[in-house]
Amino acid sequence: MSIQPEDLAKRLLRSEWERLSHHERAVITKVLERIRPQRDIHEEYQDQRTFGERLADKVAALGGSWAFISIFFLFLIGWTILNVVILGRWGRAFDPYPFIFLNLILSMVAAIQAPIIMMSQNRQSVVDRMAAANDYEVNLRAELGVRALIDRLDELQRAHQQQLELLGRIAVNTGSAPPSPP
């Protein structure tokens, strides 16, 4: 005997099939097919990224690290020392104070780095939405399992109660003491 998704929805979710969301229908179908909806969203995402997306993620990871900040800070100090102390003594500084060329370089780095970081963040939000949908499916499946267990326990309790009542009637008819409930 196979259970239809509509019957399972009515029994466990106490709802009509048509009123269920797409995710709820998918989970019920997967439960009936004995397919586990759990999957590694991050692994799926990593496999689907293009070269440009992988590069953007690496740039974003580097740009938001202490290593990048430390190296860039050392670069700024080196630039300043080179132009003020070393070359500035002889009047040969290629970017004297107020470091206009350095400001141009910093602006260009920021102009390139900001959209790359935003691209990486946008992709991460897509992964987060996929993970949330997967979590919802897993939670719904767990809820279906718990409700199925509760229904089964209720059935067992009713059957046990019926057996006790039957044994009690038999005991009354034969004159022996009725069984006591556990």
Side-chain angles (χ1 to χ4, degrees):
M1 174 179 119
S2 76
I3 299 174
Q4 296 300 315
E6 296 83 4
D7 298 333
L8 188 62
K10 286 179 187 174
R11 186 168 172 221
L12 297 178
L13 295 177
R14 294 169 180 82
S15 179
E16 296 295 323
W17 181 255
E18 294 78 28
R19 296 179 64 192
L20 297 178
S21 72
H22 170 72
H23 289 297
E24 291 168 331
R25 289 181 188 183
V27 170
I28 288 173
T29 304
K30 288 177 184 178
V31 166
L32 292 176
E33 294 172 354
R34 303 229 187 268
I35 295 174
R36 299 183 70 163
Q38 301 169 358
R39 61 187 202 258
D40 187 355
I41 299 299
H42 296 285
E43 184 177 313
E44 286 179 23
Y45 171 72
Q46 297 296 335
D47 294 342
Q48 296 173 356
R49 293 185 309 162
T50 65
F51 172 76
E53 290 171 339
R54 286 192 305 272
L55 181 63
D57 289 341
K58 287 179 183 177
V59 169
L62 175 68
S65 69
W66 280 108
F68 176 80
I69 292 170
S70 300
I71 291 169
F72 214 72
F73 182 71
L74 292 175
F75 170 77
L76 293 176
I77 290 175
W79 185 283
T80 304
I81 291 173
L82 180 67
N83 279 287
V84 172
V85 178
I86 298 174
L87 298 176
R89 286 184 187 167
W90 299 295
R92 295 181 176 231
F94 60 90
D95 187 22
Y97 181 81
F99 310 117
I100 295 172
F101 184 55
L102 177 62
N103 283 322
L104 175 66
I105 291 173
L106 293 176
S107 297
M108 289 189 313
V109 168
I112 292 170
Q113 191 179 27
I116 292 173
I117 291 172
M118 287 175 54
M119 287 171 24
S120 181
Q121 288 175 340
N122 288 340
R123 277 192 305 283
Q124 185 58 47
S125 69
V126 168
V127 172
D128 291 343
R129 282 193 298 275
M130 290 170 53
N134 186 58
D135 289 346
Y136 176 77
E137 289 179 10
V138 170
N139 291 340
L140 184 58
R141 183 168 191 251
E143 182 179 349
L144 287 171
V146 168
R147 286 186 182 182
L149 287 174
I150 289 171
D151 286 349
R152 181 67 179 138
L153 285 174
D154 289 345
E155 289 173 17
L156 289 173
Q157 186 178 16
R158 280 191 296 277
H160 183 64
Q161 187 64 34
Q162 290 172 352
Q163 288 176 349
L164 284 177
E165 289 171 3
L166 179 63
L167 288 174
R169 285 194 298 269
I170 292 172
V172 169
N173 290 341
T174 60
S176 61
S180 61

